[in-house]
Amino acid sequence: MPVVLSLQAAHKRYGHQMLLDDASCALTDDQKVGLIGRNGAGKSTLCRILLGEEDLDAGEVVRSKKLRLGYLRQHDPFLPGETGIEFLQRDSEQPDWRCGQVAWQFALGDDMLNRPVKELSGGWQTRVKLAALLLHDPNLLVLDEPTNFLDLRTQILLEHFLRDFKAGVLVVSHDRSFLKRTCTHTLELSRGSLTMFPGDVDAYMANLDDRREHDKRLNAATLAKRKQLEQFIASNRANANTASQARSKAKQLERLELVEVAGDEAKVHFSFPAVEPRKGPAVRTEGLAIGYEDRVVADDIHIEIEHGSRVGVVGDNGQGKTTFLRTICESLPPKDGTLKWGFGCQLGVYAQHVYTTLNAEESVLDYLDHQAAKGTTHQQLKDVAGSFLFSGDLAEKKIKVLSGGERARLVLAGLLLEQHNVLVLDEPGNHLDVETVEALARALKKYQGTVIFTSHDRHFMHEVATAVIEVGGGRVTSYPSSYDDYVYRITKEIDAGLRATPGGGGSKTDGADAAKRDGKADREAQKRLKAVERKIAKLDDEKKLLTAEMATTYDPAELTERQTKLAEIAAEVETLEAEWVELSEATGAW
């Protein structure tokens, strides 16, 4: 696994903030690495440095002669009126048959490729850009927040692409579920340092928690020992008979050092205002039609949302999720039908792009003061600001200098200062880091009010949603099962589409011979299915044993060896599980 791109002794500062402080890392042509870090830590800056779009203050970026670097462009690379196939041919200089062959991996059929690209939704345009990326045959991809604003179908296709991609990948994402499904290694940027971990993001977070607890216990033991030595020295240094012992103890005291607790950074603390639990419908619609002056997006909507439920609104991009949320918030009038909220419902709203409309000249405290309920004290404002990492001088910062993630945090902080028993949240996790999204999910699960929300973050949806509403095909309906079932249905639809041969058709085959071959294939699949199940069970036992050993292992070399083995097992289990799903479908076990 040759190193194709590395960072050596890198330093980068913005004002008073040190983003890179003697940081180093190496990227190979076969590792899939998820880059994580707090908002403002410098992840996007690091990507720009690796791409050659920004310079270091000191240090070096070393690029192998064999490096073929590819990155997912966020800007619009299409010419006016250019179709998908025309763009792919122009960008890659490949023939149309090759472009079509690669495009098929992203479910881009002739109907999409022959349409002007700018007429396609953002998700379909991303698929075209991904096909163009692959046509250049890169051996290292850099993807900065690739899942932002992508619908579920496009995310799943992107996952398929990254899992099957036979080269290196560096992915920056706040979506923990996406990182777990696509990356085998985790690179954390924290306090100017880069740390590579040979495992996925879940394994990294679990290991970080274990190491933090170990370091805290070690520090507690050190402090206790320090206190014991100090007491001995104070009691014995004046005594001629024990003075030499006191001096020896003083030397021991000098050698005692506390270790820095790994990853122990300030965290956001969400605590939504307490509300009285209520029963019955929070909102009901009858024959509702939603849309705009020139068109109807969906009609004949009959839904009922119960008090205390947490409803995830799902559907492909462009189908009307945001239109539906705007209508039930009454910021967009219904086209037809009725919408009725229950008595005493007080709505708090987080809109998808609200953080871009804030008054740039206001400070953090100014904004929170305007949002706060009547009677909120200045100290309460400062307490909420501090819990969202705007403490001290940071609370006086102007909104114009805040990053996108900081502005999103500020808007969420404002919601906590208002009195609501219903929250309507449109993509609340966008631009938030992994830890903040986790904190938001935990707070919403404890919230006694009603939550109606959309999110492209599957881990967040899985954690929060207790009910699902699906928007698509001109309809808005309550989905009859869980969010996980919805994801499974969409995944099966995509897999079936990708397995289908473009253009259909096929040769005629004798029925008897075909039946015989099918029966033999089915028996072989059943046999393989059992073997895969036994292998997964054996690997799960090995994982449990290794995890238990790591909890009592403090030697760095041994710990690294076990972490590497654990990452290898996790990767093998993921491959086997994917095979198990395919075999289960083929044999009818599902």
Side-chain angles (χ1 to χ4, degrees):
M1 52 177 193
V3 173
V4 291
L5 183 63
S6 65
L7 195 69
Q8 298 180 1
H11 292 264
K12 183 69 176 180
R13 178 187 291 275
Y14 276 144
H16 296 293
Q17 185 180 11
M18 180 65 79
L19 299 181
L20 297 173
D21 186 10
D22 197 31
S24 298
C25 69
L27 302 174
T28 67
D29 67 354
D30 66 344
Q31 288 180 341
K32 293 181 172 65
V33 180
L35 174 60
I36 64 173
R38 303 303 297 268
N39 282 334
K43 300 186 296 296
S44 293
T45 300
L46 175 61
C47 287
R48 291 194 297 272
I49 288 169
L50 294 175
L51 292 168
E53 297 175 355
E54 195 161 334
D55 295 327
L56 291 168
D57 297 335
E60 187 178 9
V61 178
V62 181
R63 297 176 174 84
S64 165
K65 292 181 179 179
K66 296 181 179 180
L67 175 65
R68 299 186 304 278
L69 190 60
Y71 66 100
L72 183 62
R73 288 167 285 196
Q74 300 298 328
H75 68 278
D76 185 348
F78 312 117
L79 299 177
E82 188 174 44
T83 66
I85 194 68
E86 289 170 347
F87 164 71
L88 293 178
Q89 287 182 268
R90 174 178 64 83
D91 186 74
S92 67
E93 298 182 348
Q94 298 273 0
D96 60 351
W97 66 267
R98 174 59 180 158
C99 294
Q101 186 181 54
V102 171
W104 184 254
Q105 296 183 43
F106 302 100
L108 286 162
D110 292 342
D111 57 332
M112 287 294 179
L113 290 176
N114 291 318
R115 288 171 58 186
V117 189
K118 292 191 176 182
E119 291 182 4
L120 303 178
S121 69
W124 285 102
Q125 289 188 19
T126 298
R127 298 187 196 192
V128 173
K129 289 191 281 188
L130 286 167
L133 193 63
L134 193 56
L135 283 162
H136 286 280
D137 190 30
N139 59 4
L140 179 65
L141 297 181
V142 177
L143 309 178
D144 189 3
E145 296 291 0
T147 63
N148 269 3
F149 309 111
L150 293 187
D151 57 40
L152 179 61
R153 293 176 192 274
T154 307
Q155 282 191 40
I156 292 173
L157 283 166
L158 180 55
E159 284 178 7
H160 285 338
F161 163 59
L162 290 177
R163 282 203 299 262
D164 295 339
F165 185 61
K166 305 302 182 185
V169 178
L170 179 67
V171 182
V172 181
S173 180
H174 63 273
D175 187 333
R176 185 165 168 174
S177 177
F178 180 80
L179 289 175
K180 180 175 174 58
R181 285 175 166 83
T182 57
C183 297
T184 58
H185 291 64
T186 303
L187 179 64
E188 186 185 37
L189 176 56
S190 175
R191 298 168 175 166
S193 296
L194 286 164
T195 304
M196 182 72 81
F197 177 79
D200 65 30
V201 64
D202 282 357
Y204 176 77
M205 298 300 286
N207 179 260
L208 189 65
D209 289 340
D210 290 343
R211 292 301 303 273
R212 183 184 295 121
E213 288 305 313
H214 168 256
D215 290 346
K216 286 180 178 178
R217 289 196 300 270
L218 187 61
N219 280 346
T222 301
L223 289 171
K225 182 66 174 176
R226 178 181 288 176
K227 185 176 181 180
Q228 182 184 19
L229 291 173
E230 287 172 345
Q231 289 175 342
F232 182 90
I233 294 167
S235 301
N236 294 278
R237 61 186 171 189
N239 190 323
N241 295 326
T242 57
S244 62
Q245 289 181 279
R247 287 193 295 272
S248 176
K249 297 294 184 184
K251 292 179 180 178
Q252 289 183 37
L253 182 62
E254 290 176 2
R255 291 195 293 268
L256 288 180
E257 292 183 358
L258 296 176
V259 298
E260 184 177 355
V261 178
D264 199 8
E265 296 186 85
K267 294 183 178 180
V268 172
H269 297 284
F270 287 93
S271 181
F272 288 105
V275 299
E276 184 179 347
R278 307 178 71 180
K279 300 292 185 181
V283 62
R284 178 188 290 125
T285 70
E286 294 183 3
L288 182 69
I290 62 175
Y292 304 90
E293 287 186 4
D294 59 338
R295 63 191 175 97
V296 173
V297 172
D299 60 9
D300 196 29
I301 303 170
H302 296 266
I303 62 166
E304 190 172 278
I305 296 175
E306 293 290 314
H307 279 296
S309 59
R310 300 190 297 272
V311 181
V313 181
V314 301
D316 292 349
N317 283 352
Q319 293 296 307
K321 297 191 300 293
T322 297
T323 303
F324 173 66
L325 291 186
R326 287 188 61 197
T327 303
I328 65 172
C329 291
E330 301 179 337
S331 67
L332 188 66
K335 300 284 288 182
D336 197 8
T338 61
L339 166 72
K340 187 174 181 180
W341 282 97
F343 176 75
C345 286
Q346 299 171 298
L347 271 66
V349 179
Y350 178 93
Q352 193 173 124
H353 301 290
V354 67
Y355 65 89
T356 64
T357 64
L358 305 181
N359 184 344
E361 296 304 320
E362 281 190 338
S363 70
V364 168
L365 285 178
D366 289 337
Y367 174 80
L368 294 179
D369 187 39
H370 292 157
Q371 296 298 117
K374 188 176 180 181
T376 304
T377 67
H378 186 70
Q379 186 58 49
Q380 287 173 319
L381 293 180
K382 293 180 70 175
D383 290 345
V384 170
S387 70
F388 278 77
L389 310 186
F390 296 112
S391 57
D393 292 341
L394 296 179
E396 302 296 339
K397 286 177 70 173
K398 296 289 187 183
I399 290 175
K400 63 183 178 183
V401 302
L402 300 181
S403 68
E406 289 172 324
R407 294 187 188 201
R409 283 209 314 267
L410 179 59
V411 174
L412 287 169
L415 279 179
L416 267 63
L417 288 164
E418 305 168 28
Q419 292 297 318
H420 308 296
N421 53 20
V422 178
L423 296 175
V424 181
L425 312 173
D426 190 6
E427 294 292 347
N430 275 354
H431 304 290
L432 299 180
D433 53 52
V434 171
E435 291 86 356
T436 305
V437 171
E438 288 283 313
L440 176 59
R442 288 193 297 270
L444 289 173
K445 288 165 71 174
K446 294 178 181 178
Y447 181 59
Q448 295 292 306
T450 305
V451 184
I452 307 169
F453 71 103
T454 65
S455 177
H456 289 127
D457 186 326
R458 272 171 286 169
H459 180 74
F460 183 78
M461 269 281 191
H462 166 79
E463 287 293 311
V464 177
T466 59
V468 176
I469 287 177
E470 184 175 18
V471 181
R475 294 286 182 267
V476 178
T477 55
S478 294
Y479 191 72
S481 194
S482 68
Y483 177 71
D484 288 346
D485 289 327
Y486 172 76
V487 173
Y488 174 68
R489 191 198 86 193
I490 298 299
T491 303
K492 283 194 70 175
E493 289 177 7
I494 290 172
D495 288 344
L498 291 176
R499 284 197 296 268
T501 304
S507 60
K508 293 183 178 180
T509 309
D510 180 80
D513 290 342
K516 184 184 289 187
R517 285 195 297 271
D518 288 346
K520 183 179 179 181
D522 186 63
R523 288 192 298 273
E524 290 176 351
Q526 290 277 8
K527 185 177 179 181
R528 178 59 186 162
L529 179 62
K530 296 296 183 184
V532 168
E533 288 174 344
R534 288 193 296 270
K535 182 65 173 176
I536 290 174
K538 182 180 178 182
L539 289 173
D540 280 339
D541 290 340
E542 289 184 33
K543 282 175 64 178
K544 290 175 184 176
L545 181 62
L546 274 172
T547 302
E549 290 175 351
M550 286 172 64
T552 57
T553 300
Y554 305 122
D555 180 74
E558 291 182 9
L559 189 61
T560 300
E561 183 180 346
R562 285 176 170 80
Q563 289 169 348
T564 302
K565 181 63 176 174
L566 195 62
E568 291 171 354
I569 291 175
E572 188 174 356
V573 167
E574 186 174 353
T575 301
L576 288 168
E577 286 176 342
E579 184 179 359
W580 183 88
V581 170
E582 292 182 3
L583 290 168
S584 297
E585 292 175 355
T587 59
W590 273 11

